Amino acid sequence: TGDGRTYGTDVTLIYKNQKIETSLLYTLSWLEERYPMLFKGAYFSPQEDRRHQVKISGAYKMGGFKISALLTYKSPAPYLSLVQLEGDGIGDADFTAVQDYLPPYFSLDISLDYHFKLIRRPAMIGVSLINSTNHKNVSDLQYLGRVSGDAGNQVFLTNQTELLGRTFNVHFRYLIN
């Protein structure tokens, strides 16, 4: 177990009228974590530490239809390049020596919804395309590592899915009071 700290601020601007709704969101954050057995107990930035995030959204209503889009930018994220580990492994490593960055993340989500009444109750059917840009660092983040131990250098390979790749979605909503 360890501890962490987060510093940051969020700013949101919204404009809305009968047919148009837009927003601009900006997040500035700084995350740090510390564990006694990692990096000599010093603070380091986890991969969730995307310092700058900007989201711009817009929606346009036309009768029962609503067209919307969301553009997202996230600054480069740090990750551990464990291939560069030397000596006694991650416990005594200097974080700055094994730190690398993912490229910035861009995403464009778009959707089309139709609002109507079904048995006198509000309903909605729609389609959406999440991450239509299918940015290259979305699908998987792969780690190749080397850890020193009693059996000599051991190599390991892991991966994790960070964010959705291009995803098509059909949705239906029916409100019951």
Side-chain angles (χ1 to χ4, degrees), residues 92-114:
D92 291 325
D94 176 16
F95 176 71
T96 57
V98 296
Q99 179 185 21
D100 208 344
Y101 283 89
L102 289 175
Y105 170 74
F106 292 93
S107 174
L108 175 62
D109 304 341
I110 53 177
S111 71
L112 174 64
D113 298 324
Y114 180 67

Side-chain angles (χ1 to χ4, degrees), residues 56-125:
I56 301 169
S57 68
Y60 179 73
K61 294 179 185 175
M62 189 171 43
F65 289 95
K66 182 177 180 181
I67 301 166
S68 57
L70 171 65
L71 180 64
T72 303
Y73 164 80
K74 295 180 180 184
S75 62
Y79 73 94
L80 304 178
S81 179
L82 300 179
V83 172
Q84 300 175 36
L85 276 180
E86 303 279 333
D88 295 328
I90 198 168
D92 291 325
D94 176 16
F95 176 71
T96 57
V98 296
Q99 179 185 21
D100 208 344
Y101 283 89
L102 289 175
Y105 170 74
F106 292 93
S107 174
L108 175 62
D109 304 341
I110 53 177
S111 71
L112 174 64
D113 298 324
Y114 180 67
H115 298 262
F116 60 98
K117 296 274 187 183
L118 180 64
I119 313 172
R120 295 190 305 266
R121 294 285 194 230
M124 186 261 304
I125 189 165

Side-chain angles (χ1 to χ4, degrees), residues 47-48 102 137-143 158-165 167:
Q47 66 191 55
E48 294 83 9
L102 289 175
N137 78 335
V138 171
S139 49
D140 288 302
L141 176 62
Q142 191 173 65
Y143 300 98
T158 63
N159 67 39
Q160 82 184 65
T161 301
E162 278 296 298
L163 302 164
L164 286 177
T167 305

